Amino acid sequence: MRLNRYLSQCGVASRRGAEEIILGGRVSINGHVITELATQVQPDDKVVVDGSPVRAEMPVVIALNKPKGYLCSRGDKHERMTIYDLLPLKYQNLHHVGRLDKESEGLLLLTNRGDLSHRIIHPSQGAEKEYEVIVDQPLNAEVMAKLVKGMMTEEGFARAERAWMDTDYRAHIVLKMGLKRQIRMMFYYLGYEVTRLTRIRIGWLKLHGLAKGAYKELTPTEVERFFKEEPAKPRLTRKPAAEGDEESEGLPVRKPSARSKPAHGKKSGPSGRFAEEKPSRFKPRPGSFSQRSHSGETGRDERPRGRSGPPARRPAPRGPRRGPKSR
């Protein structure tokens, strides 16, 4: 592990701040002052910063099913309940990855890994968040299309990656961006009120099997899936149609018409007169290119044609013109 990342996991500073500490000669490993940023730290090394030994925390990631009525905050001046009231003492130092407002519920990640937070929160990384939304009025396809197209809100331009209906009052929304109260605000601009909002998926991780208020610590293999797996992108693909089918599951496949279908035993071509090649009376001179040459150059007696079929017949070239014979 690089030294700046190690110091970041120890809570000394951010990675950029750790680089300044290293360059200032304030870090020593096993009694030797280190100023090289590329220095690697081994598990049994003794790292000291400003005379005090430091040790990296073990990386921890937990998934929490946040109930309605809890704040994503470490403390509240009004003494309202927070998500940390649901966790034991050993998880109190974890920070939440993103947030859900007080009235929302569902899947929430907490960790001490800054790289994981950046991977999930930053829109450029592409980690999807899926929500189940229940509204107060019947929905329709036009509303779903407007959610995907996007709109300007008080927090900026907001749009959904995908949106579809389950029932007249329930829909699923997939986001990559994370504006404040984004889904509630988007529906508000369309004349709806969200009565229930539940996050059911973050990246590959789904909420299934986790009771409200319960949490689960993820294994290192599960955590690495957030970095390895990219979200599926909708893609139109052309698939070969089965015999007798008019079109495949992807884009429609146009079948050749009977007019353009080549006859058995004949070569296909744009016209019947090119169906069979006829021998030409023109005989090339020795050493010249043949009529069927595929070279980038052409013989003197052959010019490249823009259509298929044998080249057009050309008269034989004349020799140099001579004057009248002297008598």
Side-chain angles (χ1 to χ4, degrees):
M1 181 186 302
R2 285 176 63 98
L3 181 56
N4 62 339
R5 181 181 177 186
Y6 180 87
L7 296 179
S8 176
Q9 290 193 3
C10 292
V12 174
S14 64
R15 291 194 185 186
R16 190 175 299 273
E19 292 178 355
E20 298 178 359
I21 295 175
I22 296 170
L23 295 175
R26 298 164 55 187
V27 182
S28 65
I29 299 178
N30 301 329
H32 301 282
V33 176
I34 303 298
T35 57
E36 293 292 334
L37 298 178
T39 303
Q40 297 289 325
V41 180
Q42 304 302 324
D44 55 346
D45 286 339
K46 182 179 180 181
V47 182
V48 177
V49 178
D50 295 333
S52 301
V54 296
R55 188 172 184 83
E57 299 177 345
M58 292 297 295
V60 177
V61 182
I62 66 171
L64 171 69
N65 187 353
K66 174 191 172 301
K68 183 178 179 180
Y70 285 78
L71 296 175
C72 290
S73 175
R74 290 191 178 276
D76 181 65
K77 60 182 180 180
H78 301 294
E79 297 184 355
R80 290 174 293 184
M81 293 181 294
T82 72
I83 56 175
Y84 292 95
D85 295 328
L86 303 170
L87 303 176
L89 183 61
K90 65 178 181 178
Y91 294 138
Q92 294 296 316
N93 62 328
L94 303 181
H95 64 269
H96 46 86
V97 181
R99 64 176 65 241
L100 292 170
D101 60 54
K102 180 184 176 183
E103 301 304 318
S104 300
E105 55 190 292
L107 185 60
L108 185 69
L109 294 180
L110 294 95
T111 184
N112 56 4
R113 292 186 55 171
D115 55 346
L116 178 62
S117 299
H118 183 267
R119 173 67 178 86
I120 294 176
I121 295 176
H122 203 279
S124 65
Q125 299 297 314
E128 293 184 344
K129 279 80 69 175
E130 183 178 341
Y131 300 81
E132 184 182 84
V133 187
I134 298 179
V135 295
D136 61 337
Q137 301 178 45
L139 297 165
N140 53 61
E142 183 179 357
V143 172
M144 298 294 103
K146 290 180 179 179
L147 292 172
V148 175
K149 183 178 180 180
M151 64 199 73
M152 286 300 301
T153 67
E154 296 176 359
E155 298 294 327
F157 183 77
R159 64 178 295 270
E161 294 296 318
R162 298 191 299 279
W164 65 93
M165 295 169 52
D166 266 354
T167 64
D168 290 343
Y169 292 86
R170 183 171 62 192
H172 284 245
I173 310 295
V174 176
L175 301 181
K176 284 186 180 178
M177 57 196 317
L179 300 179
K180 183 179 179 181
R181 299 175 66 86
Q182 178 177 341
I183 293 179
R184 295 183 185 274
M185 190 64 65
M186 292 172 68
F187 275 102
Y188 173 78
Y189 274 80
L190 296 176
Y192 291 83
E193 181 180 351
V194 176
T195 59
R196 184 176 180 180
L197 178 62
T198 307
R199 182 192 285 164
I200 61 175
R201 179 174 65 88
I202 299 177
W204 65 269
L205 184 62
K206 297 182 179 180
L207 186 62
H208 299 316
L210 197 60
K212 287 186 178 181
Y215 62 88
K216 171 190 175 183
E217 186 169 339
L218 303 184
T219 65
T221 303
E222 291 174 328
V223 174
E224 287 305 313
R225 287 186 62 181
F226 287 106
F227 298 93
K228 294 181 179 179
E229 295 190 1
E230 294 295 331
K233 297 180 180 179
R235 182 182 303 173
L236 291 176
T237 56
R238 184 184 294 271
K239 299 181 180 180
E243 185 176 357
D245 293 342
E246 294 186 358
E247 60 182 33
S248 63
E249 297 179 359
L251 296 176
V253 178
R254 182 177 298 176
K255 303 180 83 173
S257 62
R259 183 177 181 180
S260 63
K261 186 175 181 180
H264 180 70
K266 297 183 179 181
K267 295 184 179 181
S268 61
S271 175
R273 63 194 181 104
F274 292 127
E276 296 182 359
E277 293 187 1
K278 297 181 179 180
S280 175
R281 290 180 295 177
F282 173 76
K283 297 182 180 180
R285 290 178 298 176
S288 64
F289 292 99
S290 67
Q291 296 183 28
R292 302 293 295 175
S293 173
H294 293 281
S295 172
E297 301 177 358
T298 60
R300 181 178 176 181
D301 300 318
E302 178 186 2
R303 294 182 181 178
R305 304 289 292 176
R307 59 183 181 180
S308 61
R313 293 172 55 189
R314 297 287 184 182
R318 295 182 178 181
R321 301 188 64 177
R322 300 178 181 178
K325 294 183 180 180
S326 60
R327 295 182 180 177

mmCIF file of all heavy atoms in Angstrom, residues 8-9 81 93 114 139 142 144 152-153 160-161 176 183 279-280 286 311 317 324:
data_model
loop_
_atom_site.group_PDB
_atom_site.id
_atom_site.type_symbol
_atom_site.label_atom_id
_atom_site.label_comp_id
_atom_site.label_asym_id
_atom_site.label_seq_id
_atom_site.Cartn_x
_atom_site.Cartn_y
_atom_site.Cartn_z
ATOM 1 N N SER A 8 -3.854 8.125 5.006
ATOM 2 C CA SER A 8 -5.262 8.500 4.891
ATOM 3 C C SER A 8 -6.149 7.531 5.656
ATOM 4 O O SER A 8 -7.098 7.941 6.340
ATOM 5 C CB SER A 8 -5.659 8.541 3.414
ATOM 6 O OG SER A 8 -7.034 8.820 3.277
ATOM 7 N N GLN A 9 -5.852 6.231 5.563
ATOM 8 C CA GLN A 9 -6.632 5.246 6.309
ATOM 9 C C GLN A 9 -6.392 5.337 7.809
ATOM 10 O O GLN A 9 -7.239 4.940 8.599
ATOM 11 C CB GLN A 9 -6.306 3.839 5.809
ATOM 12 C CG GLN A 9 -6.825 3.546 4.414
ATOM 13 C CD GLN A 9 -6.760 2.082 4.064
ATOM 14 O OE1 GLN A 9 -6.376 1.240 4.889
ATOM 15 N NE2 GLN A 9 -7.130 1.742 2.832
ATOM 16 N N MET A 81 -33.789 11.095 16.503
ATOM 17 C CA MET A 81 -33.066 9.832 16.335
ATOM 18 C C MET A 81 -32.228 9.882 15.055
ATOM 19 O O MET A 81 -32.664 10.426 14.034
ATOM 20 C CB MET A 81 -34.045 8.662 16.279
ATOM 21 C CG MET A 81 -34.782 8.419 17.584
ATOM 22 S SD MET A 81 -35.905 7.008 17.474
ATOM 23 C CE MET A 81 -37.095 7.627 16.274
ATOM 24 N N ASN A 93 -17.664 5.226 14.367
ATOM 25 C CA ASN A 93 -16.711 6.066 13.637
ATOM 26 C C ASN A 93 -16.908 5.997 12.112
ATOM 27 O O ASN A 93 -16.209 6.687 11.370
ATOM 28 C CB ASN A 93 -15.274 5.643 13.969
ATOM 29 C CG ASN A 93 -14.980 4.216 13.539
ATOM 30 O OD1 ASN A 93 -15.872 3.363 13.540
ATOM 31 N ND2 ASN A 93 -13.739 3.941 13.185
ATOM 32 N N GLY A 114 -12.569 5.860 2.083
ATOM 33 C CA GLY A 114 -12.887 7.014 1.250
ATOM 34 C C GLY A 114 -13.009 6.675 -0.217
ATOM 35 O O GLY A 114 -13.818 7.277 -0.940
ATOM 36 N N LEU A 139 -50.091 7.299 -12.185
ATOM 37 C CA LEU A 139 -48.982 7.629 -13.063
ATOM 38 C C LEU A 139 -49.315 7.233 -14.502
ATOM 39 O O LEU A 139 -50.282 6.512 -14.754
ATOM 40 C CB LEU A 139 -47.713 6.899 -12.611
ATOM 41 C CG LEU A 139 -47.191 7.260 -11.228
ATOM 42 C CD1 LEU A 139 -46.182 6.225 -10.759
ATOM 43 C CD2 LEU A 139 -46.560 8.647 -11.246
ATOM 44 N N GLU A 142 -46.229 9.171 -19.916
ATOM 45 C CA GLU A 142 -45.722 10.524 -20.175
ATOM 46 C C GLU A 142 -44.919 11.042 -18.987
ATOM 47 O O GLU A 142 -43.878 11.691 -19.159
ATOM 48 C CB GLU A 142 -46.892 11.461 -20.480
ATOM 49 C CG GLU A 142 -46.456 12.875 -20.842
ATOM 50 C CD GLU A 142 -47.635 13.778 -21.153
ATOM 51 O OE1 GLU A 142 -48.788 13.282 -21.137
ATOM 52 O OE2 GLU A 142 -47.412 14.972 -21.421
ATOM 53 N N MET A 144 -43.259 9.163 -16.833
ATOM 54 C CA MET A 144 -42.002 8.428 -16.818
ATOM 55 C C MET A 144 -41.011 9.032 -17.827
ATOM 56 O O MET A 144 -39.815 9.151 -17.546
ATOM 57 C CB MET A 144 -42.242 6.962 -17.150
ATOM 58 C CG MET A 144 -43.141 6.213 -16.165
ATOM 59 S SD MET A 144 -42.411 6.030 -14.514
ATOM 60 C CE MET A 144 -43.326 7.306 -13.611
ATOM 61 N N MET A 152 -35.293 21.339 -14.712
ATOM 62 C CA MET A 152 -34.563 22.232 -13.813
ATOM 63 C C MET A 152 -35.313 22.317 -12.478
ATOM 64 O O MET A 152 -36.525 22.503 -12.442
ATOM 65 C CB MET A 152 -34.435 23.622 -14.423
ATOM 66 C CG MET A 152 -33.425 23.703 -15.557
ATOM 67 S SD MET A 152 -31.741 23.253 -15.050
ATOM 68 C CE MET A 152 -31.431 24.445 -13.748
ATOM 69 N N THR A 153 -34.576 22.166 -11.380
ATOM 70 C CA THR A 153 -35.136 22.284 -10.039
ATOM 71 C C THR A 153 -34.333 23.316 -9.253
ATOM 72 O O THR A 153 -33.383 23.910 -9.773
ATOM 73 C CB THR A 153 -35.102 20.937 -9.307
ATOM 74 O OG1 THR A 153 -33.728 20.568 -9.066
ATOM 75 C CG2 THR A 153 -35.757 19.842 -10.153
ATOM 76 N N ALA A 160 -33.566 11.247 -14.279
ATOM 77 C CA ALA A 160 -33.411 9.839 -13.923
ATOM 78 C C ALA A 160 -32.748 9.098 -15.078
ATOM 79 O O ALA A 160 -32.936 9.445 -16.241
ATOM 80 C CB ALA A 160 -34.775 9.217 -13.616
ATOM 81 N N GLU A 161 -31.955 8.081 -14.753
ATOM 82 C CA GLU A 161 -31.360 7.240 -15.776
ATOM 83 C C GLU A 161 -32.418 6.356 -16.425
ATOM 84 O O GLU A 161 -32.449 6.204 -17.642
ATOM 85 C CB GLU A 161 -30.258 6.364 -15.172
ATOM 86 C CG GLU A 161 -29.063 7.130 -14.677
ATOM 87 C CD GLU A 161 -28.330 7.835 -15.805
ATOM 88 O OE1 GLU A 161 -28.152 7.223 -16.885
ATOM 89 O OE2 GLU A 161 -27.955 9.003 -15.615
ATOM 90 N N LYS A 176 -28.102 8.139 -11.013
ATOM 91 C CA LYS A 176 -26.655 8.155 -10.831
ATOM 92 C C LYS A 176 -26.229 9.418 -10.095
ATOM 93 O O LYS A 176 -25.240 9.420 -9.380
ATOM 94 C CB LYS A 176 -25.944 8.082 -12.190
ATOM 95 C CG LYS A 176 -25.952 6.714 -12.826
ATOM 96 C CD LYS A 176 -25.105 6.695 -14.084
ATOM 97 C CE LYS A 176 -25.102 5.324 -14.720
ATOM 98 N NZ LYS A 176 -24.302 5.308 -15.975
ATOM 99 N N ILE A 183 -35.679 13.000 -6.003
ATOM 100 C CA ILE A 183 -36.886 12.320 -6.491
ATOM 101 C C ILE A 183 -38.139 13.040 -6.029
ATOM 102 O O ILE A 183 -39.086 13.241 -6.815
ATOM 103 C CB ILE A 183 -36.882 10.853 -6.027
ATOM 104 C CG1 ILE A 183 -35.738 10.099 -6.719
ATOM 105 C CG2 ILE A 183 -38.217 10.187 -6.318
ATOM 106 C CD1 ILE A 183 -35.635 8.647 -6.317
ATOM 107 N N PRO A 279 -16.800 -14.342 -71.882
ATOM 108 C CA PRO A 279 -15.402 -14.138 -72.240
ATOM 109 C C PRO A 279 -15.233 -12.925 -73.129
ATOM 110 O O PRO A 279 -16.060 -12.642 -73.996
ATOM 111 C CB PRO A 279 -15.035 -15.433 -72.958
ATOM 112 C CG PRO A 279 -16.332 -15.984 -73.447
ATOM 113 C CD PRO A 279 -17.351 -15.597 -72.437
ATOM 114 N N SER A 280 -14.205 -12.183 -72.886
ATOM 115 C CA SER A 280 -13.942 -10.975 -73.655
ATOM 116 C C SER A 280 -13.010 -11.289 -74.805
ATOM 117 O O SER A 280 -12.116 -12.135 -74.701
ATOM 118 C CB SER A 280 -13.319 -9.911 -72.752
ATOM 119 O OG SER A 280 -12.945 -8.780 -73.511
ATOM 120 N N PRO A 286 1.432 -9.521 -73.181
ATOM 121 C CA PRO A 286 2.257 -10.157 -72.125
ATOM 122 C C PRO A 286 2.880 -9.102 -71.223
ATOM 123 O O PRO A 286 3.384 -8.088 -71.696
ATOM 124 C CB PRO A 286 3.319 -10.927 -72.920
ATOM 125 C CG PRO A 286 2.734 -11.115 -74.273
ATOM 126 C CD PRO A 286 1.854 -9.927 -74.538
ATOM 127 N N PRO A 311 -15.116 -5.197 -66.717
ATOM 128 C CA PRO A 311 -14.895 -3.823 -67.181
ATOM 129 C C PRO A 311 -15.461 -3.622 -68.573
ATOM 130 O O PRO A 311 -15.592 -4.559 -69.368
ATOM 131 C CB PRO A 311 -13.381 -3.688 -67.147
ATOM 132 C CG PRO A 311 -12.877 -5.081 -67.303
ATOM 133 C CD PRO A 311 -13.882 -5.957 -66.595
ATOM 134 N N PRO A 317 -5.613 0.559 -77.984
ATOM 135 C CA PRO A 317 -4.939 1.865 -78.120
ATOM 136 C C PRO A 317 -4.211 1.965 -79.448
ATOM 137 O O PRO A 317 -3.668 0.989 -79.962
ATOM 138 C CB PRO A 317 -3.978 1.867 -76.937
ATOM 139 C CG PRO A 317 -3.714 0.433 -76.665
ATOM 140 C CD PRO A 317 -4.992 -0.283 -76.962
ATOM 141 N N PRO A 324 2.447 11.156 -93.755
ATOM 142 C CA PRO A 324 2.310 10.428 -95.030
ATOM 143 C C PRO A 324 3.628 9.806 -95.461
ATOM 144 O O PRO A 324 4.693 10.361 -95.237
ATOM 145 C CB PRO A 324 1.862 11.542 -96.014
ATOM 146 C CG PRO A 324 2.311 12.815 -95.383
ATOM 147 C CD PRO A 324 2.245 12.601 -93.913
#
